[in-house]
Amino acid sequence: MTLTAETPTVSAAVSARLALAPHVFVDGTAQTTLSGKNLPVLDPATGQMIATAADGDAVDINRAVAAATRAFDPSGEWRTMTPVERGRVLHRIGDAILDRADEFAELEVLDAGKVRGAARAIDVDFAARAFHYFAGWPTKITGATVPVSHPGIHVRTEKDPVGVVGAITAWNFPLLLCGWKLAPALAAGCTVVLKPSEETPLSALWLAELAIEAGLPAGVLNVVPGRGDTAGEALVDHPGVDKITFTGSTAVGKQIARRAAEQVKRVTLELGGKSANIIFPDADLDAAVEGSAGGIFWHSGQTCSAPSRLFVHRSVHDEVVERLHAIGDGLRSGHGLDPTTGLGPLINARQLERVADHVRRAGEEGARVHIGPDVPTGGFFHPATVISDARDDMACAREEIFGPVLTVLPFDDTDEVLRRADASEYGLAAGVWTQNVSNAHRATKALRAGTVYVNGWGLTDPAAPFGGFRQSGYGRDLGPDSLEGYLETKSVWTFHG
Ligand code: NAD
């Protein structure tokens, strides 16, 4: 039987967004691109074009940076706004997201291939909560009095906004990443030029409009959709941009760090991962299997912190693998607006090919490959897949696949598994499932990752810092640590005699 994922009916509000002419959002208004170029926006579940977006390039970036620079004027509206009022604006942006939560969720399903329930409960809700959380920070950013050993001199530090921020984001969480990047940058008092992924530009443009309605002064937030090698590079290279905050692949993150170094530009990098997840023999197996499967299959494995390397103690290995097969086999692929869908599509044909290649190669290298049920044609679907009998040196155990593909590796003792789990060039997340407190403590100490989960997987919160060790990046999103990335420390010396 050939399946297809038909597009269910779309709400009037979202239809209207899809019908908008391609535009950038600069200086408080939607404007046509100076580049004059456009990009098709595809629904990953059908492969059909659903909208046309601007394909902004260097001229559009120049215009946006000029607007953000004007908005950063020390005597302008944004810089002179009281911290209380800045917090109120951020809070109202969070409210505006929640007021349109269902529509935003629908838009993310169509643009990014999400499943509606998760888009609503996770992407949209988290974006709003990020603005609500950071709304509390402008009134709490403080310096210190410094006890210098010079008579007649008073020294204090103050925390100043770093300036104009260039934010570049990935396609897997378009709206949510706006919350992660924009909310702390705005709370710190910066102005921003955001370049969303060329795959998923729609929600960021809508958010920018709502931010103006919420009271954000014109020019404080500008959005230029476009490709990485044009708009992205222009933003990184622009001398008027003081800081780049980037979420995306490790390969592009390295290029950005190299280019930014030319101007000693501040950079925060949130990059890829190959996160290790360990099931010890004393774990609550029901929770461990459910949590591990949920972690990798959610959003079809297109999450940076996906627990894609699962180490299972040999004594429970076969049982765990069988249960994972059953969960994967039970996931029905379909359009994310269809309430019976358990597994959505991948973002595009290139990503589908990449994932399928990895699975093929694992089989050729001698691993056992269990592929889930048939998927619809037309869109970019890949079935839930479990690779077992794999070795640590295989590509499927080392490289980020970014699909619904789990690699399972058996282990025999704790020292061995902690060493193997940590032998990765990445370090974004890690997890352990055990009832043994000593095991849990040893593992959380030993595993070098920005987030370590014990008996759970995947939760994030605006208050909890998120980021990577090693090639998963540097700097942090979320929590108080992320604010530091948008602030400079200034020492002020007053000679009072
Ligand atoms: P990507 O690196 O291909 O693209 C990310 C963004 O960078 C896009 O906006 C793209 O247009 C832009 N870009 C591409 N080339 C550029 C260049 N030369 N200069 C400037 N900008 C450029 O990543 P992707 O495929 O969109 O996203 C998937 C990757 O993102 C995965 O590796 C995933 O792990 C990672 N990711 C990490 C986190 C995290 O918090 N650590 C979160 C989400 C996704």
Side-chain angles (χ1 to χ4, degrees):
M1 183 178 64
T2 305
L3 306 166
T4 53
E6 285 167 18
T7 310
T9 315
V10 174
S11 68
V14 171
S15 296
R17 295 301 310 176
L18 297 178
L20 288 178
H23 60 282
V24 298
F25 193 88
V26 174
D27 218 2
T29 56
Q31 308 189 10
T32 52
T33 47
L34 295 173
S35 77
K37 293 180 290 184
N38 297 326
L39 281 167
V41 180
L42 305 187
D43 176 350
T46 62
Q48 303 294 312
M49 190 170 130
I50 50 167
T52 308
D55 182 10
D57 66 14
V59 282
D60 296 291
I61 291 291
N62 289 346
R63 184 169 57 165
V65 174
T69 305
R70 280 193 301 277
F72 195 68
D73 188 294
S75 49
E77 191 184 351
W78 183 235
R79 297 284 296 283
T80 56
M81 191 179 275
T82 65
V84 161
E85 186 51 29
R86 205 178 332 137
R88 281 197 191 115
V89 172
L90 288 175
H91 213 279
R92 287 195 295 263
I93 297 174
D95 289 347
I97 294 171
L98 287 184
D99 287 346
R100 290 155 190 84
D102 292 339
E103 292 87 348
F104 265 122
E106 206 173 292
L107 194 62
E108 294 294 76
V109 171
L110 292 165
D111 198 8
K114 291 183 175 275
V115 172
R116 194 201 302 254
R120 171 69 186 80
I122 297 167
D123 296 73
V124 177
D125 189 64
F126 200 124
R129 282 194 293 130
F131 281 99
H132 287 152
Y133 169 80
F134 283 105
W137 269 107
T139 51
K140 296 167 194 72
I141 297 169
T142 57
T145 301
V146 185
V148 293
S149 299
H150 298 284
I153 291 181
H154 175 254
V155 179
R156 65 181 168 85
T157 59
E158 62 181 42
K159 296 285 187 179
D160 286 1
V162 69
V164 175
V165 171
I168 301 176
T169 50
W171 44 260
N172 58 344
F173 291 99
L175 181 67
L176 178 143
L177 289 176
C178 287
W180 288 36
K181 303 292 191 198
L182 306 180
L186 298 177
C190 296
T191 61
V192 183
V193 176
L194 167 68
K195 192 208 80 61
S197 169
E198 59 273 40
E199 300 284 349
T200 54
L202 303 180
S203 52
L205 287 164
W206 197 4
L207 180 65
E209 272 177 40
L210 298 177
I212 293 289
E213 290 168 22
L216 196 71
V220 173
L221 170 59
N222 309 275
V223 180
V224 179
R227 285 171 289 123
D229 57 359
T230 51
E233 290 189 3
L235 190 56
V236 174
D237 291 346
H238 199 299
V241 173
D242 299 289
K243 152 133 198 165
I244 293 291
T245 178
F246 172 74
T247 294
S249 60
T250 295
V252 172
K254 287 179 187 177
Q255 288 178 36
I256 287 177
R258 274 194 290 268
R259 295 180 90 99
E262 276 301 312
Q263 296 167 29
V264 198
K265 201 167 276 187
R266 281 98 184 97
V267 179
T268 295
L269 298 175
E270 295 288 355
L271 309 177
K274 187 75 187 176
S275 297
N277 181 26
I278 305 170
I279 300 182
F280 284 98
D282 61 4
D284 171 345
L285 271 200
D286 290 342
V289 171
E290 282 292 324
S292 303
I296 184 69
F297 294 139
W298 170 59
H299 196 19
S300 298
Q302 301 170 110
T303 63
C304 51
S305 57
S308 52
R309 257 186 327 145
L310 177 63
F311 292 91
V312 184
H313 192 268
R314 209 175 290 278
S315 64
V316 291
H317 173 269
D318 292 354
E319 180 186 349
V320 167
V321 168
E322 285 314 307
R323 290 168 75 168
L324 289 166
H325 289 176
I327 292 176
D329 291 349
L331 286 172
R332 188 189 150 278
S333 297
H335 200 289
L337 293 181
D338 176 344
T340 66
T341 292
L343 195 69
L346 300 177
I347 189 69
N348 56 29
R350 191 162 29 94
Q351 188 62 16
L352 176 57
E353 187 50 40
R354 201 181 117 76
V355 172
D357 255 0
H358 262 291
V359 171
R360 217 173 8 246
R361 195 163 143 202
E364 286 164 7
E365 287 179 343
R368 177 179 171 214
V369 176
H370 181 93
I371 300 182
D374 287 351
V375 293
T377 55
F380 310 124
F381 292 94
H382 194 282
T385 299
V386 177
I387 298 172
S388 53
D389 294 338
R391 294 188 317 271
D392 294 6
D393 63 350
M394 289 179 176
C396 62
R398 288 183 293 106
E399 294 175 19
E400 184 180 52
I401 298 177
F402 230 55
V405 180
L406 176 61
T407 301
V408 186
L409 304 147
F411 73 91
D412 293 297
D413 77 71
T414 304
D415 285 337
E416 168 216 331
V417 74
L418 293 180
R419 203 171 45 244
R420 287 170 60 198
D422 203 44
S424 169
E425 64 192 30
Y426 296 113
L428 195 56
V432 290
W433 301 82
T434 179
Q435 311 275 9
N436 178 322
V437 172
S438 311
N439 261 349
H441 275 283
R442 272 180 72 191
T444 54
K445 264 265 171 263
L447 295 168
R448 283 177 292 171
T451 299
V452 183
Y453 295 108
V454 179
N455 293 332
W457 192 280
L459 278 185
T460 49
D461 189 276
F466 185 92
F469 283 32
R470 297 184 280 197
Q471 293 194 32
S472 290
Y474 44 72
R476 289 292 176 268
D477 275 345
L478 305 178
D481 301 52
S482 71
L483 275 175
E484 286 296 329
Y486 299 103
L487 295 167
E488 296 278 17
T489 302
K490 181 187 282 174
S491 292
V492 180
W493 291 62
T494 304
F495 295 67
H496 56 79

Short mmCIF file of all heavy atoms in Angstrom, two decimals, residues 260-316:
data_model
loop_
_atom_site.label_atom_id
_atom_site.label_comp_id
_atom_site.label_asym_id
_atom_site.label_seq_id
_atom_site.Cartn_x
_atom_site.Cartn_y
_atom_site.Cartn_z
N ALA A 260 34.73 35.01 12.74
CA ALA A 260 34.50 36.00 13.80
C ALA A 260 35.82 36.40 14.46
O ALA A 260 35.97 37.52 14.94
CB ALA A 260 33.53 35.45 14.83
N ALA A 261 36.78 35.47 14.46
CA ALA A 261 38.07 35.74 15.11
C ALA A 261 38.77 36.92 14.45
O ALA A 261 39.52 37.65 15.11
CB ALA A 261 38.96 34.50 15.07
N GLU A 262 38.54 37.12 13.17
CA GLU A 262 39.15 38.25 12.44
C GLU A 262 38.88 39.57 13.14
O GLU A 262 39.69 40.49 13.10
CB GLU A 262 38.57 38.32 11.02
CG GLU A 262 39.24 37.42 10.03
CD GLU A 262 40.72 37.71 9.91
OE1 GLU A 262 41.07 38.89 9.76
OE2 GLU A 262 41.52 36.76 10.00
N GLN A 263 37.67 39.70 13.70
CA GLN A 263 37.30 40.97 14.36
C GLN A 263 37.21 40.80 15.88
O GLN A 263 36.62 41.63 16.57
CB GLN A 263 35.94 41.45 13.82
CG GLN A 263 35.97 41.79 12.34
CD GLN A 263 34.57 41.96 11.77
OE1 GLN A 263 33.64 42.35 12.45
NE2 GLN A 263 34.41 41.66 10.50
N VAL A 264 37.75 39.70 16.38
CA VAL A 264 37.65 39.37 17.81
C VAL A 264 36.20 39.53 18.27
O VAL A 264 35.90 40.08 19.34
CB VAL A 264 38.61 40.23 18.67
CG1 VAL A 264 38.83 39.59 20.04
CG2 VAL A 264 39.96 40.40 17.99
N LYS A 265 35.31 39.05 17.43
CA LYS A 265 33.88 39.17 17.72
C LYS A 265 33.50 38.12 18.75
O LYS A 265 33.96 36.98 18.69
CB LYS A 265 33.12 38.94 16.41
CG LYS A 265 31.75 39.48 16.37
CD LYS A 265 31.23 39.47 14.93
CE LYS A 265 31.68 40.71 14.17
NZ LYS A 265 31.08 40.84 12.86
N ARG A 266 32.66 38.49 19.70
CA ARG A 266 32.19 37.50 20.68
C ARG A 266 31.30 36.47 19.99
O ARG A 266 30.52 36.83 19.11
CB ARG A 266 31.38 38.17 21.79
CG ARG A 266 32.24 38.85 22.83
CD ARG A 266 32.37 40.35 22.58
NE ARG A 266 33.26 40.99 23.52
CZ ARG A 266 34.55 41.25 23.27
NH1 ARG A 266 35.10 40.96 22.10
NH2 ARG A 266 35.28 41.84 24.18
N VAL A 267 31.44 35.22 20.43
CA VAL A 267 30.68 34.14 19.78
C VAL A 267 30.16 33.17 20.83
O VAL A 267 30.90 32.79 21.74
CB VAL A 267 31.57 33.36 18.78
CG1 VAL A 267 30.79 32.23 18.13
CG2 VAL A 267 32.12 34.26 17.70
N THR A 268 28.90 32.78 20.70
CA THR A 268 28.37 31.65 21.47
C THR A 268 27.96 30.60 20.46
O THR A 268 27.28 30.91 19.47
CB THR A 268 27.13 32.08 22.29
OG1 THR A 268 27.55 33.02 23.28
CG2 THR A 268 26.50 30.89 23.00
N LEU A 269 28.38 29.36 20.67
CA LEU A 269 28.10 28.29 19.71
C LEU A 269 27.33 27.16 20.39
O LEU A 269 27.83 26.56 21.35
CB LEU A 269 29.42 27.74 19.15
CG LEU A 269 30.31 28.71 18.37
CD1 LEU A 269 31.62 28.02 17.99
CD2 LEU A 269 29.61 29.23 17.12
N GLU A 270 26.14 26.89 19.89
CA GLU A 270 25.36 25.72 20.34
C GLU A 270 25.33 24.76 19.17
O GLU A 270 24.62 24.99 18.18
CB GLU A 270 23.93 26.15 20.70
CG GLU A 270 23.83 27.10 21.88
CD GLU A 270 24.11 26.42 23.20
OE1 GLU A 270 24.29 25.18 23.23
OE2 GLU A 270 24.17 27.12 24.21
N LEU A 271 26.07 23.66 19.25
CA LEU A 271 26.33 22.84 18.06
C LEU A 271 25.76 21.42 18.20
O LEU A 271 24.86 21.19 18.99
CB LEU A 271 27.84 22.82 17.81
CG LEU A 271 28.49 24.22 17.77
CD1 LEU A 271 29.99 24.12 17.57
CD2 LEU A 271 27.86 25.10 16.70
N GLY A 272 26.31 20.52 17.45
CA GLY A 272 25.74 19.18 17.37
C GLY A 272 26.10 18.29 18.54
O GLY A 272 26.79 18.70 19.48
N GLY A 273 25.64 17.05 18.48
CA GLY A 273 25.91 16.11 19.56
C GLY A 273 25.78 14.67 19.12
O GLY A 273 25.30 14.37 18.01
N LYS A 274 26.28 13.79 19.96
CA LYS A 274 26.07 12.34 19.79
C LYS A 274 25.95 11.81 21.20
O LYS A 274 26.85 11.16 21.74
CB LYS A 274 27.26 11.71 19.05
CG LYS A 274 27.05 10.26 18.69
CD LYS A 274 26.09 10.10 17.53
CE LYS A 274 25.75 8.66 17.27
NZ LYS A 274 24.74 8.52 16.19
N SER A 275 24.82 12.14 21.82
CA SER A 275 24.73 12.02 23.27
C SER A 275 24.61 10.58 23.74
O SER A 275 23.82 9.79 23.20
CB SER A 275 23.57 12.88 23.77
OG SER A 275 23.85 14.23 23.48
N ALA A 276 25.38 10.25 24.77
CA ALA A 276 25.41 8.90 25.33
C ALA A 276 24.35 8.76 26.41
O ALA A 276 24.14 9.67 27.21
CB ALA A 276 26.79 8.62 25.92
N ASN A 277 23.73 7.61 26.43
CA ASN A 277 22.65 7.33 27.36
C ASN A 277 22.91 5.90 27.86
O ASN A 277 23.10 4.99 27.04
CB ASN A 277 21.34 7.44 26.57
CG ASN A 277 20.11 7.21 27.39
OD1 ASN A 277 20.11 7.43 28.60
ND2 ASN A 277 19.04 6.77 26.75
N ILE A 278 22.96 5.73 29.18
CA ILE A 278 23.42 4.44 29.72
C ILE A 278 22.31 3.79 30.55
O ILE A 278 21.80 4.41 31.49
CB ILE A 278 24.66 4.64 30.62
CG1 ILE A 278 25.77 5.37 29.84
CG2 ILE A 278 25.17 3.30 31.15
CD1 ILE A 278 26.93 5.83 30.72
N ILE A 279 21.97 2.56 30.22
CA ILE A 279 21.00 1.82 31.04
C ILE A 279 21.78 0.77 31.85
O ILE A 279 22.32 -0.20 31.30
CB ILE A 279 19.92 1.15 30.17
CG1 ILE A 279 19.15 2.21 29.37
CG2 ILE A 279 18.97 0.33 31.05
CD1 ILE A 279 18.01 1.66 28.51
N PHE A 280 21.84 1.02 33.17
CA PHE A 280 22.50 0.07 34.07
C PHE A 280 21.55 -1.10 34.36
O PHE A 280 20.32 -0.97 34.22
CB PHE A 280 22.94 0.78 35.35
CG PHE A 280 24.16 1.64 35.17
CD1 PHE A 280 24.05 3.01 34.96
CD2 PHE A 280 25.43 1.06 35.19
CE1 PHE A 280 25.18 3.79 34.78
CE2 PHE A 280 26.57 1.85 35.00
CZ PHE A 280 26.45 3.21 34.79
N PRO A 281 22.10 -2.23 34.83
CA PRO A 281 21.23 -3.42 35.00
C PRO A 281 20.17 -3.22 36.07
O PRO A 281 19.14 -3.90 36.05
CB PRO A 281 22.22 -4.53 35.40
CG PRO A 281 23.49 -3.85 35.77
CD PRO A 281 23.51 -2.53 35.07
N ASP A 282 20.41 -2.29 37.02
CA ASP A 282 19.44 -2.10 38.11
C ASP A 282 18.42 -1.00 37.78
O ASP A 282 17.66 -0.57 38.65
CB ASP A 282 20.17 -1.73 39.40
CG ASP A 282 20.95 -0.43 39.26
OD1 ASP A 282 20.85 0.21 38.19
OD2 ASP A 282 21.67 -0.06 40.20
N ALA A 283 18.37 -0.55 36.53
CA ALA A 283 17.46 0.54 36.18
C ALA A 283 16.00 0.08 36.20
O ALA A 283 15.72 -1.11 36.05
CB ALA A 283 17.80 1.06 34.79
N ASP A 284 15.10 1.03 36.39
CA ASP A 284 13.68 0.78 36.17
C ASP A 284 13.53 0.67 34.65
O ASP A 284 13.50 1.68 33.93
CB ASP A 284 12.88 1.96 36.73
CG ASP A 284 11.41 1.91 36.36
OD1 ASP A 284 11.04 1.14 35.45
OD2 ASP A 284 10.62 2.67 36.97
N LEU A 285 13.43 -0.57 34.17
CA LEU A 285 13.52 -0.78 32.71
C LEU A 285 12.37 -0.15 31.94
O LEU A 285 12.55 0.33 30.82
CB LEU A 285 13.58 -2.28 32.39
CG LEU A 285 14.96 -2.94 32.34
CD1 LEU A 285 14.89 -4.24 31.56
CD2 LEU A 285 16.04 -2.03 31.78
N ASP A 286 11.18 -0.15 32.55
CA ASP A 286 10.04 0.46 31.84
C ASP A 286 10.35 1.93 31.56
O ASP A 286 10.22 2.41 30.44
CB ASP A 286 8.76 0.38 32.68
CG ASP A 286 8.26 -1.05 32.78
OD1 ASP A 286 8.69 -1.88 31.96
OD2 ASP A 286 7.45 -1.32 33.70
N ALA A 287 10.77 2.63 32.62
CA ALA A 287 11.06 4.06 32.47
C ALA A 287 12.23 4.27 31.53
O ALA A 287 12.23 5.18 30.69
CB ALA A 287 11.34 4.68 33.84
N ALA A 288 13.27 3.43 31.66
CA ALA A 288 14.48 3.61 30.86
C ALA A 288 14.19 3.41 29.37
O ALA A 288 14.64 4.20 28.53
CB ALA A 288 15.56 2.64 31.32
N VAL A 289 13.42 2.39 29.06
CA VAL A 289 13.14 2.12 27.64
C VAL A 289 12.23 3.21 27.08
O VAL A 289 12.49 3.75 25.99
CB VAL A 289 12.51 0.72 27.47
CG1 VAL A 289 12.02 0.52 26.05
CG2 VAL A 289 13.53 -0.35 27.83
N GLU A 290 11.18 3.54 27.81
CA GLU A 290 10.26 4.60 27.35
C GLU A 290 11.01 5.92 27.15
O GLU A 290 10.86 6.60 26.14
CB GLU A 290 9.15 4.84 28.38
CG GLU A 290 8.04 3.80 28.38
CD GLU A 290 7.20 3.84 27.12
OE1 GLU A 290 6.96 4.95 26.60
OE2 GLU A 290 6.80 2.76 26.65
N GLY A 291 11.81 6.28 28.15
CA GLY A 291 12.52 7.56 28.11
C GLY A 291 13.56 7.60 26.99
O GLY A 291 13.71 8.60 26.30
N SER A 292 14.26 6.49 26.81
CA SER A 292 15.29 6.45 25.77
C SER A 292 14.67 6.50 24.39
O SER A 292 15.16 7.21 23.50
CB SER A 292 16.13 5.17 25.92
OG SER A 292 16.69 5.12 27.21
N ALA A 293 13.59 5.76 24.20
CA ALA A 293 12.92 5.76 22.90
C ALA A 293 12.30 7.13 22.62
O ALA A 293 12.41 7.68 21.52
CB ALA A 293 11.84 4.68 22.86
N GLY A 294 11.66 7.70 23.65
CA GLY A 294 11.05 9.02 23.48
C GLY A 294 12.10 10.06 23.11
O GLY A 294 11.89 10.90 22.24
N GLY A 295 13.26 9.97 23.76
CA GLY A 295 14.34 10.93 23.52
C GLY A 295 14.83 10.90 22.08
O GLY A 295 15.09 11.94 21.48
N ILE A 296 14.95 9.70 21.50
CA ILE A 296 15.51 9.62 20.15
C ILE A 296 14.43 9.77 19.07
O ILE A 296 14.69 10.37 18.02
CB ILE A 296 16.30 8.30 19.93
CG1 ILE A 296 16.96 8.29 18.54
CG2 ILE A 296 15.45 7.06 20.11
CD1 ILE A 296 18.08 9.27 18.36
N PHE A 297 13.23 9.29 19.31
CA PHE A 297 12.23 9.32 18.24
C PHE A 297 11.44 10.63 18.19
O PHE A 297 10.84 10.97 17.17
CB PHE A 297 11.28 8.12 18.35
CG PHE A 297 11.98 6.80 18.11
CD1 PHE A 297 11.68 5.69 18.90
CD2 PHE A 297 12.93 6.68 17.11
CE1 PHE A 297 12.33 4.48 18.69
CE2 PHE A 297 13.59 5.47 16.89
CZ PHE A 297 13.29 4.37 17.69
N TRP A 298 11.43 11.37 19.31
CA TRP A 298 10.72 12.65 19.33
C TRP A 298 11.30 13.58 18.25
O TRP A 298 12.50 13.64 18.06
CB TRP A 298 10.88 13.26 20.74
CG TRP A 298 10.40 14.65 20.80
CD1 TRP A 298 9.15 15.08 20.52
CD2 TRP A 298 11.17 15.80 21.15
NE1 TRP A 298 9.08 16.43 20.68
CE2 TRP A 298 10.30 16.91 21.05
CE3 TRP A 298 12.48 16.00 21.53
CZ2 TRP A 298 10.71 18.21 21.32
CZ3 TRP A 298 12.91 17.29 21.80
CH2 TRP A 298 12.02 18.39 21.70
N HIS A 299 10.44 14.28 17.54
CA HIS A 299 10.82 15.15 16.41
C HIS A 299 11.73 14.40 15.42
O HIS A 299 12.67 14.94 14.85
CB HIS A 299 11.49 16.43 16.91
CG HIS A 299 11.57 17.51 15.86
ND1 HIS A 299 10.79 17.53 14.72
CD2 HIS A 299 12.37 18.61 15.76
CE1 HIS A 299 11.10 18.58 13.99
NE2 HIS A 299 12.05 19.26 14.60
N SER A 300 11.44 13.10 15.28
CA SER A 300 12.17 12.25 14.33
C SER A 300 13.68 12.33 14.51
O SER A 300 14.43 12.28 13.53
CB SER A 300 11.79 12.62 12.89
OG SER A 300 10.42 12.38 12.70
N GLY A 301 14.10 12.46 15.76
CA GLY A 301 15.54 12.44 16.05
C GLY A 301 16.26 13.72 15.68
O GLY A 301 17.49 13.80 15.79
N GLN A 302 15.51 14.74 15.26
CA GLN A 302 16.15 15.99 14.84
C GLN A 302 16.30 16.95 16.01
O GLN A 302 15.86 18.10 15.96
CB GLN A 302 15.35 16.63 13.71
CG GLN A 302 15.20 15.72 12.50
CD GLN A 302 14.21 16.25 11.50
OE1 GLN A 302 14.58 16.68 10.43
NE2 GLN A 302 12.94 16.25 11.85
N THR A 303 16.85 16.45 17.08
CA THR A 303 17.13 17.30 18.24
C THR A 303 18.61 17.18 18.55
O THR A 303 19.19 16.10 18.46
CB THR A 303 16.30 16.88 19.48
OG1 THR A 303 16.66 15.56 19.86
CG2 THR A 303 14.82 16.90 19.18
N CYS A 304 19.22 18.33 18.90
CA CYS A 304 20.67 18.35 19.08
C CYS A 304 21.09 17.43 20.21
O CYS A 304 22.15 16.83 20.18
CB CYS A 304 21.12 19.77 19.35
SG CYS A 304 20.16 20.54 20.66
N SER A 305 20.24 17.30 21.24
CA SER A 305 20.63 16.51 22.41
C SER A 305 20.04 15.10 22.36
O SER A 305 19.97 14.41 23.38
CB SER A 305 20.16 17.21 23.69
OG SER A 305 18.76 17.41 23.64
N ALA A 306 19.63 14.64 21.18
CA ALA A 306 19.03 13.30 21.07
C ALA A 306 19.96 12.23 21.66
O ALA A 306 21.17 12.23 21.38
CB ALA A 306 18.77 12.98 19.60
N PRO A 307 19.41 11.32 22.48
CA PRO A 307 20.24 10.27 23.07
C PRO A 307 20.47 9.16 22.03
O PRO A 307 19.90 8.08 22.11
CB PRO A 307 19.39 9.78 24.25
CG PRO A 307 17.97 10.05 23.82
CD PRO A 307 18.00 11.26 22.92
N SER A 308 21.35 9.44 21.08
CA SER A 308 21.46 8.57 19.90
C SER A 308 22.44 7.42 20.09
O SER A 308 22.52 6.53 19.26
CB SER A 308 21.86 9.42 18.69
OG SER A 308 23.01 10.19 19.00
N ARG A 309 23.21 7.44 21.19
CA ARG A 309 24.15 6.34 21.51
C ARG A 309 23.69 5.71 22.80
O ARG A 309 23.90 6.26 23.87
CB ARG A 309 25.55 6.94 21.78
CG ARG A 309 26.52 6.78 20.65
CD ARG A 309 27.91 7.24 20.99
NE ARG A 309 28.02 8.36 21.89
CZ ARG A 309 28.99 8.49 22.79
NH1 ARG A 309 29.91 7.55 22.93
NH2 ARG A 309 29.05 9.55 23.57
N LEU A 310 23.06 4.57 22.70
CA LEU A 310 22.50 3.94 23.91
C LEU A 310 23.37 2.76 24.33
O LEU A 310 23.50 1.78 23.60
CB LEU A 310 21.06 3.47 23.64
CG LEU A 310 20.39 2.73 24.80
CD1 LEU A 310 20.23 3.65 26.01
CD2 LEU A 310 19.02 2.20 24.37
N PHE A 311 23.95 2.88 25.52
CA PHE A 311 24.73 1.77 26.09
C PHE A 311 23.81 1.00 27.04
O PHE A 311 23.21 1.59 27.94
CB PHE A 311 25.93 2.31 26.88
CG PHE A 311 26.97 2.97 26.01
CD1 PHE A 311 26.90 4.33 25.74
CD2 PHE A 311 28.01 2.22 25.45
CE1 PHE A 311 27.87 4.94 24.93
CE2 PHE A 311 28.97 2.83 24.64
CZ PHE A 311 28.89 4.19 24.38
N VAL A 312 23.72 -0.32 26.82
CA VAL A 312 22.84 -1.14 27.65
C VAL A 312 23.65 -2.28 28.26
O VAL A 312 24.40 -2.97 27.54
CB VAL A 312 21.68 -1.73 26.80
CG1 VAL A 312 20.71 -2.48 27.70
CG2 VAL A 312 20.95 -0.63 26.04
N HIS A 313 23.47 -2.49 29.57
CA HIS A 313 24.21 -3.58 30.22
C HIS A 313 23.82 -4.91 29.56
O HIS A 313 22.64 -5.15 29.26
CB HIS A 313 23.90 -3.62 31.72
CG HIS A 313 24.85 -4.53 32.45
ND1 HIS A 313 24.57 -5.87 32.68
CD2 HIS A 313 26.09 -4.30 32.94
CE1 HIS A 313 25.59 -6.42 33.31
NE2 HIS A 313 26.53 -5.49 33.49
N ARG A 314 24.84 -5.75 29.35
CA ARG A 314 24.62 -6.99 28.59
C ARG A 314 23.50 -7.85 29.19
O ARG A 314 22.78 -8.53 28.47
CB ARG A 314 25.93 -7.79 28.51
CG ARG A 314 26.03 -8.63 27.25
CD ARG A 314 27.39 -9.33 27.15
NE ARG A 314 28.48 -8.42 26.87
CZ ARG A 314 28.80 -7.97 25.64
NH1 ARG A 314 28.08 -8.34 24.61
NH2 ARG A 314 29.81 -7.15 25.46
N SER A 315 23.33 -7.79 30.52
CA SER A 315 22.33 -8.66 31.15
C SER A 315 20.89 -8.28 30.76
O SER A 315 19.98 -9.09 30.89
CB SER A 315 22.49 -8.61 32.68
OG SER A 315 22.22 -7.30 33.13
N VAL A 316 20.68 -7.04 30.33
CA VAL A 316 19.32 -6.63 29.94
C VAL A 316 19.27 -6.19 28.47
O VAL A 316 18.23 -5.74 27.98
CB VAL A 316 18.79 -5.47 30.84
CG1 VAL A 316 18.52 -5.98 32.25
CG2 VAL A 316 19.74 -4.29 30.86
#
